[in-house]
Amino acid sequence: MIAKAVQQWWRNFWAALLLGLQYVYASSMRSKRTVAIGIFTVVLVVCFVALLQNTIARSPVVFMKLAENNVGEYDLVLSPRLGLDDEDGEGDEEASKKFTSRSAALSTRNETALDNLDLLPNLQVGLNYTEISRKLEPVDTVRGCAPRWTLFSSIANAAEPSRNGSAVVLIMDSAKEQEIGLGRDWDRRPLGQQEVYVSSALLRHIGVQGAMGERVLVGLSPTQLAMLAGIFTRDRVSVVFGQIVISAVHSQNFTIPLDVGKILSEQLGISVPSRQMNVTIVGQDIPDEAIQTFVDQWVDSFFPEIVEAFDEDGISFEATVVDGVDDPLGKWPSSLGNVIVMEMKWIPKLIETLLPQNRALQRLFLEALGLSVDDLHEVENVQIQDHALMVLVQYADRASTYLLEKKAMRKKMIYFSDQVSLALGVSYPATFKMPLVKMLDGLSYFRMFLDQIFIGTLVIMLGLSIMLIYSLLLSDVEEKTYEYGMLRALGLPHSSLFLVLIPLSFVYSIPGILIGLLLGWLLSIPIQDALAYYASLPVNLALDGSAIGMAVIIGLIMPLVSNIFPIQRALSKTLRDALDVYHASTNETSVTFVKLENLGIELWQTALAVMMVVCGFVIYYLIPAAFVMGNMPMFLGILTAILLGMVLGCSLIATSVQPILEKLYLKLFLWGSDRNMEDLIRKALSGHRTRNRKTAIMFTTALAFIIFAGVMFTLQASSFAQNSQVLIGADLLVFSVSWSQPLQEDQMRAYLDAEMARKDSRVVDYSFASFPISASPDMSYTSIGNLASFPSHTVFVVGVDKTYLRSCFSNFYLPVEVNPQFSYHDVLSTNKPDVVRSLYDDAGNSTLLGLEDDGIVIPPDTTSVKTRSYALAQEDLRGGSNNAGILLSAEEVYVDYFDVIVTEAMRPEMSATVNTPMRLRSRTTSFDSSYAQFTYLAKIRAMLKKLPGFLFSSYGQAAAYSSVLVTMDSFQRLLERAYEVKMLDRISKGLNVTDTLSAKPPLARLFVNLKDDVSQLDIEEISNGLRTFIQDERTVLVDTNQVLAGAELASSIILMFFNVISVIAIVLCFFLLWLSFTANVRENAWEFGVLRAVGLSSAQVIRMYVFEALSLIFAAVTLGTAIGIVIAITLTLQFNLFTEMPFAFDFPFVLFFTVVSMAIMVAFGGSYMAARDLRKKQIAQALKGN
């Protein structure tokens, strides 16, 4: 029985399927227009989905190239670990044992033996590239490695030496780097002997033309060569003299005179000025570490004299300029500035010719290589690659890995670095750096924001496409209703009818998918080519797998789903209505009877309940989970989902307002005799409400999308530039990373003052900023808090020049509150107060409102411990007191207070205002962990939300480790107190050494503000002028315009992507509007005949349809614009929550008016073209529906 039922079911199934195929074939031959429309819609959607998803999948290449332009194509950088603490690769414990054994041996020597102490041991210079390459060869994650050297140098025009500058010499093996794909866009030939490539900007500065065979003179610092090679460093000199003093301390109590200059002259073979070091030893129990720390500080003050003597005999050579380099193209970091490129294989011969120019360097270099002076000619045979200052290791699967999201990328790169470390050995004496990963980490937030915009764009555009398919198929529902009615009349049941109609969806989907994928692939070629050109990667013409999969799934499912609902609507009619060819959907009236006990909960109520449950789950679990797990993509994905919900919700709310606006616009459009048609048009609007609602929702959503997406894409494209400007601070930034190597203030000031004195000066102003005072070797830390120091936070106290706000990007200077006691100058052409200048002009004049209305009041001494002046407090230190808290007198505290500028974050964190007295503390730590702590009174001059070049924020979390700005004089006062305590502390420990403190604070940064109309050539000239005062690689010049130029192309690609999306949205809207307006006219052909019969002319009837379409369009434009602006402002405010940038709203006027103009033309054209066909018919034909 069951078997017969199954057989019967199969027979019915195959019969229905065969009937369906026959019906689809006959229907396709008869209704070619319907089939063409169906296929076209699938083609459009599949093409769009494939194109969009493929672009999204490949877009991370923009961030990869942006990072490579800034830090180079460096996957892993190996650098030698220099210094005695770990010279052989041992850990800290082994290094400590070696230091102890050396000290013990020295303690047994006499003073005469100290004179014969070798200053420097023989060392292996740099990294052994051959060994590294051999060990890494079997590692499957390594594509290869290449050696490099970088040296700081001077360069001059050989024919005119007065035209000179500075640069970084980059020595590389170009053949090896090409083999491993380093600098994939570098297409220059390998260099010959004494040939160089030079940065084009530098060539222009010194008056040399590239590719013309002109010569340049390259000068190198012998000290720098020795330091970079690890054969002569400040640390080694310090250790040697530390051993001398330690051996003397362990001998007896005495005063030992040491002629440092004599010892160095004998050891190095150079003429070092005589410098006596008189050390009074009191007691033999001073720890070796304490003495060594003291010696370190002493050598810091004397080392520049050693360097000057070492560099007295400089080394230089002439070279031929092969060509200028405009863009490194990822070959090296753009932050290096001016670069001179040389080929590594010619370096040994060059060294052989250069060493005799400096005897000290020759001796040290040969000893480090294990050669004697007589073996100088052997230098030519030295494998220089086995003494590399860095080895660049390239990852095998780098391109695809850097396109992954942050966590996946880091996981692969960590595995890669682990494999390299295991292959080399855990104790291998090299440091590991991954600059590209670090840079991409910094860009990851921009990428995450952009990815969420892409995803939101995809969802919205998919929704528009689905609605278009549905509307296109629904447009023929009246015709299909009659056909399905005939099939039912012939006895075909509903279940079989569905099976018959399933093949119809495949008629649309299969050709549509094939053609859509082909078109999507063709349209993706120029986009792929643009991305590949920007990233200098091979063009990958294949569509991404995710793009193909998504397009195929949507192409199969959507025609099927879109067929079901129109068919279901047609089959829901009675057989009589289905066969009534004069039946119109706009005239139908339906009555539904539902028993009360069957009513239950309606569908919309169920949907609302489910939505509320989902929202609760998202808010109470997913959002906290995203924070706890640190999953920013998940968090931003939730925000995107909420955004899409806002768009959908606003669009649905707009449908309730749409009829009101339609009536208002209709009254505006109708004038004269046309006002008589108002009731007829209103009836038409009401009768077409169902179709018009879908059209209005789609057009409103599309227009809102174009507005808010345009704003967000523009914001994303500009955010990198803005954040770079805030981080850098000014048009030109020169900064040093070492306290011991500050900027050459006097020379730079003289150069910039001369530049500003010119009539055609290109410099508006400049300003210096000091290092954070905590970077001083005499200072442990500084903190600020309320008077009770609860709470109190560690801060970076920085001294700034009076002209700072005239020298930075003042448009990002955002003061929140300033002290109202003073009148302020404006910052340049803005109305913002110059609070930094006020620190100088009104120094020491601030009074606290309500506390010091009559001037500064010094309170009486109420402590049980008598306060004393700083001079009296020094006695504690002379007596050997540890952990001395210097309790200054009330007069010193209240009169010599500090004016400060702080971050707005102090307000929520400490309840601070400009009228709140603050406690500023500084601590000086000595070499035996004792410290002296000073407490000062600070008065806030201003609280800032943002300041270019510094970390300022309005969020309380940013209060810790924020910057506190003071005048240079105040900064120097803090340094002097710390220095004096340090000297007294040395005396208390029995080390009587006289030292001096610089009269000016060491400066870390120079900010230069250039005029708006300055050219790039002018910027290059000023930059190269400042580079002449840069003496080593620890000082860097950053050109903001150059940094922004690297991001400009990336921004253009992002905006190009948005324009493509906008064009797709416009196309979708065009077809939907055209379909809607023509369907409205076609479905009301009978009404057209009736209106003609009662006396309306054809022109009046056509105008009636046009006015209906225009009312619909203008109402949708109004609502879509309002929704788009609201969403765009919301997104901008949300983005500014993270960046705290000034609010900026960039409305996409061009695209907006393009869409609106297109919609108006479609309203005219669609209504007119459809009505024109009816006008050609006789009234009787129109009434019959023919």
Side-chain angles (χ1 to χ4, degrees):
M1 195 70 180
I2 297 177
K4 290 183 179 180
V6 172
Q7 291 177 359
Q8 183 64 33
W9 184 87
W10 272 107
R11 282 196 297 268
N12 294 338
F13 173 79
W14 285 110
L17 185 60
L18 180 61
L19 177 61
L21 293 174
Q22 294 174 344
Y23 171 77
V24 167
Y25 175 77
S27 177
S28 300
M29 293 297 100
R30 184 180 68 255
S31 304
K32 295 180 181 179
R33 173 181 173 275
T34 302
V35 175
I37 291 176
I39 293 176
F40 176 77
T41 55
V42 175
V43 168
L44 190 65
V45 174
V46 169
C47 175
F48 155 70
V49 171
L51 178 63
L52 180 59
Q53 181 57 32
N54 188 69
T55 305
I56 291 174
R58 303 288 168 78
S59 62
V61 73
V62 175
F63 293 96
M64 183 188 76
K65 183 59 178 176
L66 192 61
E68 289 178 338
N69 288 343
N70 280 274
V71 300
E73 299 174 13
Y74 299 173
D75 296 335
L76 178 61
V77 180
L78 303 181
S79 304
R81 283 202 294 262
L82 302 178
L84 288 173
D85 60 330
D86 206 4
E87 64 190 23
D88 298 318
E90 299 95 335
D92 294 337
E93 183 179 353
E94 290 298 321
S96 177
K97 291 179 180 178
K98 295 180 84 174
F99 180 85
T100 304
S101 63
R102 285 196 296 264
S103 299
L106 285 169
S107 64
T108 62
R109 299 184 181 185
N110 55 32
E111 185 176 352
T112 304
L114 294 176
D115 295 334
N116 298 321
L117 179 67
D118 287 336
L119 179 63
L120 300 168
N122 294 334
L123 295 177
Q124 165 67 40
V125 183
L127 296 174
N128 190 322
Y129 162 73
T130 303
E131 178 187 2
I132 293 174
S133 179
R134 178 182 58 80
K135 289 184 176 181
L136 296 183
E137 186 175 0
V139 181
D140 57 353
T141 57
V142 175
R143 180 176 179 179
C145 56
R148 275 197 182 179
W149 279 57
T150 55
L151 308 169
F152 195 82
S153 72
S154 62
I155 183 173
N157 188 327
E160 192 179 353
S162 60
R163 302 192 64 176
N164 55 69
S166 59
V168 174
V169 175
L170 181 64
I171 303 172
M172 64 183 184
D173 185 339
S174 57
K176 175 58 67 175
E177 293 188 5
Q178 182 180 11
E179 178 185 334
I180 66 176
L182 178 57
R184 55 184 178 273
D185 210 29
W186 181 267
D187 56 357
R188 301 174 185 269
R189 69 169 177 84
L191 293 166
Q193 187 172 357
Q194 288 190 266
E195 289 184 337
V196 293
Y197 292 120
V198 184
S199 296
S200 298
L202 181 57
L203 291 178
R204 287 190 290 267
H205 178 68
I206 63 176
V208 173
Q209 292 184 350
M212 299 295 291
E214 297 191 23
R215 306 275 286 178
V216 293
L217 184 64
V218 181
L220 300 176
S221 164
T223 303
Q224 184 194 187
L225 280 173
M227 286 182 176
L228 291 177
I231 57 179
F232 176 72
T233 67
R234 189 210 64 84
D235 291 340
R236 296 189 182 282
V237 173
S238 182
V239 167
V240 169
F241 286 108
Q243 293 167 353
I244 295 174
V245 176
I246 289 171
S247 63
V249 169
H250 290 298
S251 299
Q252 58 181 341
N253 298 343
F254 69 104
T255 299
I256 175 173
L258 298 174
D259 189 340
V260 178
K262 179 181 178 182
I263 295 175
L264 283 173
S265 298
E266 293 175 354
Q267 293 291 329
L268 297 176
I270 59 178
S271 179
V272 180
S274 178
R275 177 78 174 260
Q276 291 292 327
M277 178 180 177
N278 296 316
V279 184
T280 300
I281 309 299
V282 181
Q284 304 180 34
D285 57 348
I286 300 177
D288 292 353
E289 292 80 2
I291 298 176
Q292 185 63 56
T293 303
F294 148 71
V295 173
D296 290 344
Q297 296 173 348
W298 190 88
V299 169
D300 281 339
S301 65
F302 183 53
F303 197 69
E305 298 180 33
I306 304 175
V307 171
E308 184 178 353
F310 203 109
D311 286 341
E312 186 174 354
D313 295 326
I315 56 177
S316 61
F317 62 93
E318 283 195 7
T320 302
V321 178
V322 175
D323 200 0
V325 180
D326 293 311
D327 188 342
L329 301 173
K331 194 71 170 178
W332 61 81
S334 58
S335 59
L336 282 182
N338 292 330
V339 171
I340 302 171
V341 180
M342 301 183 67
E343 194 69 40
M344 183 167 288
K345 68 179 180 179
W346 305 112
I347 297 303
K349 181 63 177 177
L350 179 64
I351 292 176
E352 179 187 349
T353 60
L354 293 180
L355 285 180
Q357 298 181 23
N358 188 289
R359 290 188 303 114
L361 178 64
Q362 176 178 286
R363 174 187 173 186
L364 295 176
F365 211 91
L366 293 177
E367 286 182 358
L369 295 174
L371 301 174
S372 66
V373 177
D374 296 333
D375 298 327
L376 179 62
H377 63 280
E378 294 293 335
V379 172
E380 183 179 357
N381 301 322
V382 171
Q383 299 299 315
I384 190 67
Q385 66 270 20
D386 293 338
H387 308 279
L389 290 185
M390 69 172 67
V391 173
L392 307 179
V393 184
Q394 293 302 97
Y395 184 44
D397 192 25
R398 65 188 312 273
S400 60
T401 299
Y402 288 134
L403 300 184
L404 298 174
E405 57 91 18
K406 180 179 177 180
K407 287 188 176 180
M409 177 196 69
R410 288 180 65 88
K411 182 178 180 180
K412 281 198 169 188
M413 296 307 292
I414 289 173
Y415 177 76
F416 162 60
S417 60
D418 286 345
Q419 293 294 103
V420 172
S421 180
L422 289 173
L424 296 179
V426 177
S427 61
Y428 193 82
T431 59
F432 287 59
K433 292 182 181 179
M434 306 182 81
L436 196 54
V437 172
K438 187 176 181 180
M439 184 68 182
L440 286 172
D441 282 346
L443 295 173
S444 62
Y445 288 99
F446 295 101
R447 176 179 170 180
M448 283 188 288
F449 274 108
L450 198 60
D451 284 345
Q452 296 306 317
I453 294 177
F454 285 162
I455 293 172
T457 299
L458 180 61
V459 172
I460 290 177
M461 299 303 289
L462 278 177
L464 297 178
S465 303
I466 291 168
M467 192 174 294
L468 176 60
I469 294 178
Y470 176 73
S471 299
L472 285 169
L473 295 174
L474 194 63
S475 64
D476 292 326
V477 72
E478 297 295 335
E479 179 182 351
K480 292 183 181 297
T481 299
Y482 178 77
E483 291 183 5
Y484 302 155
M486 289 299 298
L487 291 174
R488 289 164 59 192
L490 293 173
L492 193 67
H494 279 73
S495 57
S496 298
L497 184 57
F498 271 107
L499 188 61
V500 167
L501 298 177
I502 286 177
L504 184 61
S505 67
F506 292 103
V507 172
Y508 300 152
S509 60
I510 294 177
I513 290 173
L514 296 177
I515 299 174
L517 287 176
L518 177 61
L519 290 178
W521 173 69
L522 292 174
L523 292 175
S524 71
I525 290 177
I527 298 177
Q528 299 288 65
D529 183 67
L531 291 174
Y533 172 79
Y534 172 68
S536 303
L537 290 171
V539 180
N540 184 2
L541 297 180
L543 288 174
D544 189 77
S546 62
I548 297 175
M550 186 177 295
V552 170
I553 291 174
I554 292 175
L556 287 173
I557 293 178
M558 287 320 303
L560 181 61
V561 175
S562 300
N563 267 292
I564 290 175
F565 288 103
I567 292 170
Q568 190 177 34
R569 177 177 173 181
L571 296 181
S572 64
K573 300 177 181 296
T574 64
L575 189 57
R576 175 186 175 281
D577 290 339
L579 297 175
D580 184 3
V581 296
Y582 297 102
H583 177 75
S585 60
T586 57
N587 298 326
E588 68 181 13
T589 301
S590 60
V591 179
T592 304
F593 294 93
V594 180
K595 292 183 180 180
L596 188 60
E597 62 269 20
N598 297 332
L599 185 59
I601 299 178
E602 295 186 17
L603 180 61
W604 70 269
Q605 293 174 318
T606 303
L608 180 61
V610 172
M611 183 184 68
M612 294 177 69
V613 171
V614 171
C615 289
F617 178 75
V618 169
I619 294 173
Y620 281 98
Y621 178 76
L622 292 184
I623 292 180
F627 273 107
V628 171
M629 296 184 295
N631 192 336
M632 283 300 294
M634 177 180 174
F635 175 71
L636 294 176
I638 294 173
L639 295 183
T640 301
I642 294 174
L643 168 68
L644 297 178
M646 289 176 60
V647 175
L648 179 60
C650 290
S651 299
L652 294 177
I653 292 174
T655 58
S656 62
V657 185
Q658 177 86 16
I660 300 175
L661 290 178
E662 289 175 355
K663 294 176 183 179
L664 291 176
Y665 280 113
L666 183 60
K667 285 184 175 293
L668 294 176
F669 295 149
L670 296 178
W671 292 91
S673 60
D674 288 339
R675 286 191 177 275
N676 297 327
M677 297 187 297
E678 182 176 350
D679 291 336
L680 291 174
I681 298 175
R682 283 190 177 185
K683 180 182 180 297
L685 285 170
S686 178
H688 303 153
R689 181 70 60 212
T690 302
R691 182 185 300 278
N692 288 347
R693 181 182 294 113
K694 291 188 290 291
T695 304
I697 289 175
M698 180 174 178
F699 185 71
T700 300
T701 304
L703 188 60
F705 157 74
I706 288 175
I707 293 174
F708 79 74
V711 171
M712 283 309 297
F713 273 99
T714 303
L715 186 63
Q716 285 289 332
S718 62
S719 61
F720 179 81
Q722 292 178 343
N723 282 279
S724 297
Q725 288 177 312
V726 171
L727 180 65
I728 298 171
D731 292 309
L732 293 178
L733 170 66
V734 184
F735 69 93
S736 172
V737 298
S738 174
W739 179 278
S740 61
Q741 295 291 333
L743 300 182
Q744 297 190 22
E745 177 187 2
D746 294 337
Q747 295 91 325
M748 290 183 174
R749 284 191 186 275
Y751 172 78
L752 291 172
D753 288 340
E755 171 63 31
M756 293 179 63
R758 293 173 45 183
K759 291 183 179 180
D760 58 344
S761 174
R762 298 150 295 184
V763 176
V764 176
D765 217 327
Y766 69 91
S767 175
F768 285 92
S770 70
F771 289 93
I773 200 168
S774 55
S776 167
D778 300 332
M779 190 72 68
S780 174
Y781 78 92
T782 52
S783 65
I784 196 169
N786 56 24
L787 294 185
S789 292
F790 181 80
S792 177
H793 287 299
T794 300
V795 293
F796 299 120
V797 177
V798 179
V800 292
D801 273 346
K802 183 178 182 178
T803 57
Y804 180 76
L805 288 177
R806 289 178 49 84
S807 308
C808 67
F809 293 119
S810 57
N811 53 314
F812 298 110
Y813 159 54
L814 303 177
V816 177
E817 184 183 11
V818 299
N819 193 320
Q821 301 177 40
F822 308 104
S823 58
Y824 299 90
H825 294 271
D826 290 338
V827 177
L828 297 178
S829 59
T830 69
N831 293 323
K832 300 174 183 178
D834 193 337
V835 294
V836 175
R837 181 173 179 176
S838 176
L839 288 180
Y840 287 85
D841 293 344
D842 304 303
N845 296 327
S846 180
T847 56
L848 300 172
L849 297 179
L851 299 176
E852 299 175 333
D853 293 339
D854 298 328
I856 296 177
V857 178
I858 301 175
D861 186 3
T862 59
T863 61
S864 58
V865 179
K866 181 176 177 58
T867 60
R868 61 259 194 230
S869 67
Y870 172 64
L872 294 176
Q874 294 176 355
E875 296 178 2
D876 287 347
L877 294 171
R878 290 193 180 95
S881 174
N882 289 342
N883 303 335
I886 306 300
L887 187 59
L888 301 178
S889 68
E891 182 176 356
E892 289 176 294
V893 171
Y894 282 85
V895 174
D896 296 333
Y897 74 91
F898 285 83
D899 290 307
V900 298
I901 297 173
V902 300
T903 173
E904 173 65 12
M906 298 294 182
R907 189 185 306 274
E909 187 67 11
M910 300 179 182
S911 299
T913 67
V914 294
N915 198 45
T916 303
M918 305 294 284
R919 174 177 288 185
L920 180 66
R921 281 181 170 171
S922 64
R923 175 178 291 183
T924 301
T925 301
S926 184
F927 46 74
D928 61 351
S929 298
S930 62
Y931 66 85
Q933 181 170 278
F934 289 92
T935 300
Y936 307 97
L937 175 66
K939 297 180 181 180
I940 300 175
R941 182 60 52 89
M943 304 182 73
L944 311 182
K945 179 180 180 179
K946 189 171 287 293
L947 182 68
F950 292 95
L951 175 61
F952 279 78
S953 173
S954 61
Y955 299 130
Q957 299 92 324
Y961 301 101
S962 61
S963 297
V964 173
L965 305 186
V966 298
T967 63
M968 291 293 185
D969 294 337
S970 298
F971 188 90
Q972 184 69 10
R973 183 149 54 103
L974 290 171
L975 276 182
E976 289 173 353
R977 288 280 173 89
Y979 171 78
E980 291 169 1
V981 168
K982 178 190 72 174
M983 297 306 298
L984 291 172
D985 199 23
R986 289 179 181 176
I987 295 173
S988 70
K989 303 301 187 298
L991 300 174
N992 188 7
V993 181
T994 303
D995 200 356
T996 58
L997 177 68
S998 173
K1000 295 181 180 180
L1003 301 181
R1005 290 185 286 176
L1006 167 64
F1007 301 87
V1008 182
N1009 182 16
L1010 304 177
K1011 292 183 178 179
D1012 294 336
D1013 58 348
V1014 66
S1015 67
Q1016 187 59 39
L1017 291 178
D1018 290 334
I1019 296 176
E1020 289 177 1
E1021 182 178 347
I1022 296 173
S1023 299
N1024 286 310
L1026 291 171
R1027 283 193 174 99
T1028 58
F1029 311 115
I1030 297 176
Q1031 301 299 320
D1032 58 47
E1033 72 284 354
R1034 287 176 291 184
T1035 302
V1036 179
L1037 186 146
V1038 179
D1039 178 2
T1040 302
N1041 286 337
Q1042 189 177 19
V1043 173
L1044 299 184
E1048 186 175 351
L1049 184 56
S1051 300
S1052 300
I1053 293 176
I1054 292 174
L1055 293 177
M1056 179 190 69
F1057 174 79
F1058 166 68
N1059 291 330
V1060 171
I1061 299 301
S1062 300
V1063 169
I1064 294 174
I1066 291 173
V1067 171
L1068 294 175
C1069 289
F1070 174 84
F1071 283 106
L1072 182 69
L1073 293 174
W1074 183 275
L1075 174 68
S1076 178
F1077 296 144
T1078 55
N1080 284 343
V1081 176
R1082 191 171 60 252
E1083 287 187 7
N1084 291 276
W1086 183 82
E1087 292 181 1
F1088 186 91
V1090 171
L1091 293 174
R1092 291 283 309 281
V1094 298
L1096 267 71
S1097 65
S1098 298
Q1100 287 179 310
V1101 177
I1102 292 175
R1103 288 204 302 274
M1104 186 182 73
Y1105 289 130
V1106 171
F1107 286 140
E1108 176 189 354
L1110 288 176
S1111 300
L1112 175 66
I1113 287 297
F1114 275 88
V1117 166
T1118 301
L1119 294 172
T1121 303
I1123 294 171
I1125 291 176
V1126 170
I1127 299 297
I1129 291 176
T1130 303
L1131 286 173
T1132 304
L1133 292 175
Q1134 180 225 43
F1135 190 79
N1136 287 346
L1137 285 176
F1138 294 90
T1139 62
E1140 295 189 277
M1141 287 293 181
F1143 180 82
F1145 187 81
D1146 191 2
F1147 192 87
F1149 289 100
V1150 175
L1151 286 173
F1152 173 79
F1153 287 112
T1154 300
V1155 174
V1156 173
S1157 302
M1158 179 273 301
I1160 294 174
M1161 288 188 293
V1162 171
F1164 273 106
S1167 301
Y1168 176 79
M1169 295 297 291
R1172 187 185 63 176
D1173 294 337
L1174 290 176
R1175 186 176 60 177
K1176 296 177 182 178
K1177 295 183 179 181
Q1178 298 294 327
I1179 295 178
Q1181 291 179 323
L1183 291 173
K1184 290 180 180 180
N1186 295 331

